Amino acid sequence: MDDLIQKYAHKLIHAGLATARGANAPLIGGKDQALVWNRTAQEIPVLTSVFDRLAINSLVFLRPAPPYDRIIGFLADRALKTTGRITPTDCETRTFLHDLPVADQFTAQGMVQALSCRKTVIILTKDRRGQSRGPAVIAPGTVTPEQGFVHVSSVCFACFVKFFSDYLSGLKTGHTDPEMDAVYQQILPFLETSQPGTSPSSSLMSGPFTDEAQATAAMSQAGKQVVADGLVDSYFGNISCCLNPILYISQTGAALDELEGCIDPVPLDGSSSAGITASSELSAHLEIIARTGCRTILHGHPRFSVILSMDCDPDQKAGCPFNTRCHTHCPVSRHIKNIPIVPGEVGTGPFGLCHTLPKAFDGSDTVIVYGHGVFATGDVDFIPAFSHMTAVETLCKNHYLDQVKQLTQRTRKSELS
Amino acid sequence: MPVCLFTGPLTATIAPTSGRCHMMSISPLTGLVGDGSMGGKMGVQLKRAGWDGLVITGKSDTPVGIHIQDNQITLAPAGRLWGMPADRVHDTLAPGKDSLACIGPAGENGVRFAAVITDRYHAAGRTGLGASLGVKKVKYIRVSGTGRTRVRYPEKLKQAREDIVRLTAASPALMGQFGLSRLGTGALYDLMDNRCMMPTHNFTATRFGPASRLNAHAYAAAFQPRRHGCKGCHILCKKIATRADPGASLPEFEAMSHFTALVGLDDIHAVTAANQVCNRLGMDTISAASALACFREITGRDLTPESLMTLLEDIAFDRGSGKDLKHGAAHYAESMGHPAAAMAVKGLELPAYDPRGAYGMALGYAMSTRGGCHLRAYPISHEILRKPVATDRFSFSGKARIIKISEDLNAVVDSLIACKFTFFAAGLEEYANALHGVTGNPVTARDLLAVGEKTVYNERIINSLNGFDARHDTLPDRFFDHPGTGCAQFFVPPIDRAGFESAKSAYYAVRGLTPEGRPTKEKAKQLGIDLHG
Ligand code: SF4
Ligand SMILES: [Zn+2]
C-alpha cells in the first residue's frame, strides 16, 4: 500500500493539481490491516474516523493548488448557497460522478454522509470572518488509491471546464457578476503560463512501424507526451496503432503515461477476444481505421476543446428541442473552424460515440466529441495526431480568450452608453 | 433442510438486471451454506404473483410439482415427470409465459452437485441445490403472477436506471466489441489463456495449447448464436445456437474452459454436447468437469468426447463410475486414496480461474462461505478486467480488505437482486438510488454494505456451527507446491504459502473473526446478530 500511496501523491503533483509541500500537498491514506498515510497532517484524526465508518481501503484528501483552488472554491461557495452540489455537464462527470456534493464543515459525519452516496465530496469551510482556507476535495477507494486519485482529478477537470463554460455563456447571456469576473481575472495568468502542447511533436518516434515492439514503444511515448502536456487527466484518454492485421490499443482504465504492459493486441478479424480489456472506445477506433485507412489514433480530454464543444449560441439553444440532451442528441452540424463536433456517449450504447465519431472522420483528421474530448489520427505515426490535438486545443483556447475579450468589451461599452 | 427461493426488493421493476432470484439451503455437496443465483424469469413471476419468496420445508413421499398462480399455491403429482430430463419437462409442461424451474435425473438420484434448471436455459448450478429439491421429491416449481411491483418514486428509479445503463454502455467488458453482450461469458476464454490462468489438466498447468481455436470466436463461427438473457436485462449474455445445433444453449466460459483444458479435450462440439447433457440431466458443469478431471488424474484414463458423455450420464443416473463421482471430486478423491487430486475448496470444485495467476482470487476462493467459488468476492473484476481500477494480480498487498469489502458488496447484489456482471460497470451508489426509488426509503451505498457485511458474517456463523474454521479456509496444496505455465513475458510461480497465510490472518482481522476463523459474540452483536453459546 505504501508504494501506491506515494505513487498517486506524485501523480497529483505532476498533474499540477497539488504541490510537493505546503497546504496544497496531497494527503493519501491506505489501509489493509493498519492505516498508513503518506505524510503527517492535522486532518488525519478526522479522516481516520471516515475510514472507520466507511467500507473503504484508501482515501485521497487534497486542497487543490492554484488555479483549481479559486475555481473550486468559487463553485463550491455558490453550491452551498443553492443546492449543495456542483453539477458539471462534461462527460467524465456525467458518466462516472453524476454530480459533486459540497459540505461546509470538515467533520467525519458530513463526509461520511456525502461519500455514502457519491464518489467524492468537496469541503469548503469558513472561519467567523468568512475567510476560507480554500476548498478540499476528498475521494475514497475500495480497491486502490488510484480510485481516489482519478476522482479527485476528475473533480478538478470538471470544475475547470464548468467554470469556463459558465463564464462564457454568462457573458453571452448577461449572467456574469463581479465575483465571477474577479475569479476569471485571477486565473487568467495561469492560463497564459500553461500552453497546451509545449512538447514538439517532432520528438515523437517517426513511422512506419514494422513490429509490435516499435508500435507499442511509439504508443507509450506519445501517451506520456499527451499527459505531460496536460491534454488528458488521470486514466482517461486512449491510443491505438494499427499494424495489419493487428490493432494495438491501450487497455481500459490505463493511464496514458503508464502504458507499458497495458496495451492489448486486437486481431482485426475478431479471431481473439483477449481485447475485452481494451479501451471502451475500441469499436470506434476499429471503425475509424476501417473508414479512413489511418494507422494511429490519439484521444485526450484537452480542456478548452471540451469547453468550446459545449458552447452553443444562446438563442439557438433556447429554441432547440434537445437542449437538455445536447451530449447525445445535438442535431446540428457544429464546427470549430473546420473541425467537426459530434455528440455521443462513451461506449457502444444506442447513443454511443461509436455511431457518430467514425463518420465525422470522413472529412477531417481531427474530431471533437461534445463535452468529452478530441480524437486525432495519423497516417503512419503519432506525429500528426499529436500536432492536430495540440493545434485544436491552442485554437480553442485562443478562440475562447478572444471571445471573452470581445464580449467583455461589448458589455463595458453597453454599460457606458 | 429447508430450501428457500427468494426475490429481492428490485425484482420485477425496471432496475437493470433485477430479474434474477436466489435459491439457498445447506449444500449437500459441502455441508456449508449452499446457494445459487437463478436466471430466467422466475424472480419476476414470483414477485408478480405477490410473493417475496418461498420456503420449502419437509418432504413429499411421492414426486410433486409446486404450482403458484398469484395467491394460489397447489401441489401437483409429478410421478409421470420423475426421471425426465429438464428439457423434456419443459416440453411437457409447456409453461408459456409462466416460469418453470425443475430438476433433472441428477437431482433425483442424489448427485451432490445437481443443478436446478430454470426456463430451459438458466441453471442455479453450484452447491447441489438440485439434490436438495430431489430429496424433497420436488420435481418442479411453476409460477405465474399477474400483479405489478409498486414503485414509490418512478422518476427516481428511472434516473437510476439511466445512470446504470450509461455506465454499462461505457464498459468494454459488458457492451464492448468483445464484451459479454456480444460473445457471452466465453469472451473471457482468450483472456484467461493470454494471462496464463487457464486451469489445464486438473490444474497441473495453466496454459492449454489448442486454446486459440476453442475460443468464443470459434463458437460464434460454428453456431452463429443469438442473444438471450434473464428477464429485465439489457446485457443479454446468454448465447443460443442458430446453426449446427439450433436452439442449443452455448456453454458459459466455465464450461468452455473446464470441458477442454481441465479435462484435456479440444473439441467445441464435445463441449457443447457436454454442456447440453449437464443442462438436460441437471448438473453443475464446473463440478462435473472437475470430478472428471480428478477421475482422469487418478485413473490415468484419458477422456474422449464419447467417454465424456458416457461418464456424465453415468453420474446423473448413478451407475458405473458415476456411483462414486456423483459425490463430487473431494469425496471421490478421498475414497480413491488420492485426496490431493481433488481441486476443490471445502468440497466445492474450483472454477476456471487458476489462483496462481490472481492472488485476490486465491484468497477469495479460500475465504468464500460456499467453498471454491469465484463469485463471492469476484476479484476477476479488478485483477483481470481492470474495474473499477486494476490491481497487481501477483500480489497479496491490500487484498484482504479488498476481498472483505467485495464479499459484502456481492452479498448485497445477491439480495437486491442484481446481476454481478453489471457491477463491472455500475456500483452500489447507483443501485442505492434505484432501491430508494422503489421503496421510497432513502438508503445509501454504505447502508447497503452494512447489510452485506451482516449477511456474510451470518454465513460464517452458520458454517462455524457446522464445524468449519481456519483449517478449511485454504487451497489445495498443488497451488503452493507447483508453478503454473508461464509465457515469454512472465512466470507463474507457486503461491507463497507464508504470503497467503498472512493475507488470511489479515482477512480474519478485517472481518472480525478470531485467528482460528471463528465468529465472535462481540462482532456479531455489533452487526445486530444474536450469537448464542
Ligand atoms: S448479464 Fe446475463 S446473467 Fe446477468 S442478468 Fe443479464 S442475461 Fe442474466
Ligand atoms: Zn475520453
Side-chain angles (χ1 to χ4, degrees), chain A residues 1 3-4 31-33 51 53-57 94-98 112-113 115-119 141-144 146-147 150 235 251-255 261-262 264-267 269-280 282-283 286 327 345-350, chain B residues 163 165-167 169-180 182-183 186-191 194-195 212 215-217 382 384-391 396-402 404-405 408 429-430 432-433 443-447 449 502 505-507 509-510:
Chain A
M1 198 54 104
D3 44 343
L4 289 179
K31 184 173 179 182
D32 192 14
Q33 249 181 300
F51 262 101
R53 298 199 215 174
L54 287 176
I56 56 174
N57 75 347
R94 212 181 258 288
T95 314
F96 301 103
L97 298 178
H98 312 308
V112 166
Q113 210 173 354
L115 295 173
S116 297
C117 307
R118 286 289 182 256
K119 295 182 182 73
T142 52
V143 178
T144 78
E146 183 177 5
Q147 290 163 286
V150 169
Y235 70 3
Q251 292 184 337
T252 177
C262 296
D264 277 338
V266 177
D269 65 359
S271 58
S272 161
S273 57
I276 185 174
T277 46
S279 156
S280 45
L282 169 67
S283 301
L286 286 169
H327 66 296
E345 287 183 318
V346 179
T348 55
Chain B
D163 289 343
V165 169
R166 185 177 334 110
L167 283 163
S171 159
L174 294 177
M175 308 305 275
Q177 185 97 359
F178 301 114
L180 304 192
R182 290 234 182 141
L183 294 173
L188 296 170
Y189 194 88
D190 283 320
L191 198 59
N194 182 285
R195 302 293 190 270
S212 64
N215 61 7
H217 175 72
H382 49 91
I384 302 298
L385 295 173
R386 310 176 56 84
K387 291 298 166 193
V389 288
T391 57
F396 280 114
S397 169
K399 296 283 167 75
R401 186 170 291 269
I402 297 176
K404 187 265 177 192
I405 295 172
D408 296 350
E429 183 185 335
E430 290 80 20
N433 284 338
V443 65
T444 65
R446 175 174 170 244
D447 302 331
L449 277 175
S502 116
S505 302
Y507 173 89
V510 177

Side-chain angles (χ1 to χ4, degrees), chain B residues 17 20 122 228-230 233-238 419-421:
Chain B
T17 72
R20 301 175 67 91
H122 306 264
H228 176 76
C230 306
C233 179
H234 63 292
I235 301 170
L236 303 174
C237 71
K238 289 208 85 51
C419 175
K420 296 214 169 74
F421 296 150

